[in-house]
Amino acid sequence: MAQARRGQGGTASKPEYVKETYQGDAPSPRFGHTTTFVGDSRVILFGGATGDSGRYTITADAFMLNAATNTWSRISAEGNLPAARAAHAAACVDHSQMVVYGGATGGGSLSSDDLYLLDIRTEERWQWMSVPVLGTSPGRRYGHTMIFNKPLLIVFGGNNGQQAENDIWVLDVERSPFQWSEVSVMHTRVPLPRVYHSAEVCREGPAAGMMVVFGGRTAENKSLKDTWGLRQHRDGRWDWVEAPAKRGPPPEPRFQHSCVFL
């Protein structure tokens, strides 16, 4: 699409929003889904709940948006498909591969702790598969985050069906066989257990490689507005640092939002 149609993006103090028009087989209205940027211009939408609160349906459908042409298409993939879920997490691990973990299936039930991968490298044959992982997993949970900071998948927080968590789990995608490992941090000052927070990786600058977490909701249903950074040092140790608010007020406390690194 032409830049003029997309808009110039505005500024930090005055962002510009442009309502996009699209064509093709678009997904129905929903919440609790994920959208993951995969490849040069493709966004994969997976799962979520459709319908109104109290009368909603958990889905396992997947759609692709070609951002270059603003065209939606339904994904018909072969293989071992993940069950319907919402409040899960997804991340891009390769140019055309996406992984999905966790989520809720409705009625108080949680998705399995299997890790699923969607491979869209071959246009004619998109494939779902369950990734074989050894040992202890992060367990069933929903409302968590999962980011990819090569070569590590990092899962943080969420609710295990009984309580909110603030644990950290990593999986090295370049080390076979695959295995989850729980991270122990150096200091006792850590984020509160939370659910429905946001997380993203700083890709450049002095904080490159740091996972930044904002907000969420505590076990007491209190909305949060704190910002934390998780980093791994060269000696392999991990620690949390709470971001100081040096300029301007932080966003209001919130949960079920999103954040992206630009």
Side-chain angles (χ1 to χ4, degrees), residues 81-238:
L81 279 65
R85 65 192 65 205
H88 51 282
C92 176
V93 294
D94 189 75
H95 186 70
S96 297
Q97 294 182 323
M98 178 188 79
V99 290
V100 172
Y101 185 81
T105 58
S109 299
L110 302 184
S111 305
S112 72
D113 62 350
D114 293 330
L115 182 68
Y116 287 91
L117 182 142
L118 176 64
D119 190 337
I120 60 172
R121 288 176 295 181
T122 305
E123 287 283 348
E124 298 78 20
R125 191 183 180 191
W126 292 354
Q127 188 88 15
W128 278 108
M129 63 190 75
S130 177
V131 180
V133 181
L134 301 179
T136 304
S137 75
R140 299 177 181 230
R141 63 182 64 203
Y142 68 91
H144 52 291
T145 52
M146 178 173 65
I147 60 94
F148 181 61
N149 185 24
K150 190 176 184 178
L152 298 179
L153 272 175
I154 306 176
V155 168
F156 170 66
N159 190 301
N160 63 9
Q162 303 294 326
Q163 61 186 16
E165 301 277 10
N166 63 349
D167 53 349
I168 309 158
W169 293 78
V170 299
L171 185 148
D172 189 335
V173 303
E174 296 180 353
R175 180 174 297 179
S176 183
F178 299 135
Q179 186 167 356
W180 287 107
S181 300
E182 186 171 6
V183 171
S184 297
V185 295
M186 289 190 291
H187 308 299
T188 57
R189 185 166 172 77
V190 298
L192 290 171
R194 64 193 63 208
V195 65
Y196 298 135
H197 49 283
S198 64
E200 176 64 301
V201 178
C202 287
R203 306 291 178 183
E204 57 188 53
M210 177 179 287
M211 180 181 80
V212 177
V213 173
F214 178 81
R217 191 179 71 189
T218 68
E220 295 76 29
N221 292 326
K222 178 184 177 183
S223 297
L224 298 167
K225 63 175 181 179
D226 52 348
T227 305
W228 292 81
L230 177 70
R231 58 190 175 184
Q232 185 180 28
H233 296 270
R234 292 182 178 179
D235 60 6
R237 296 185 300 169
W238 297 76

Side-chain angles (χ1 to χ4, degrees), residues 32-61:
H33 55 284
T34 51
T35 53
T36 308
F37 184 68
V38 179
D40 294 326
S41 60
R42 295 179 292 186
V43 178
I44 303 297
L45 180 150
F46 173 70
T50 61
D52 298 323
S53 179
R55 299 189 302 276
Y56 54 80
T57 301
I58 307 294
T59 72
D61 50 10

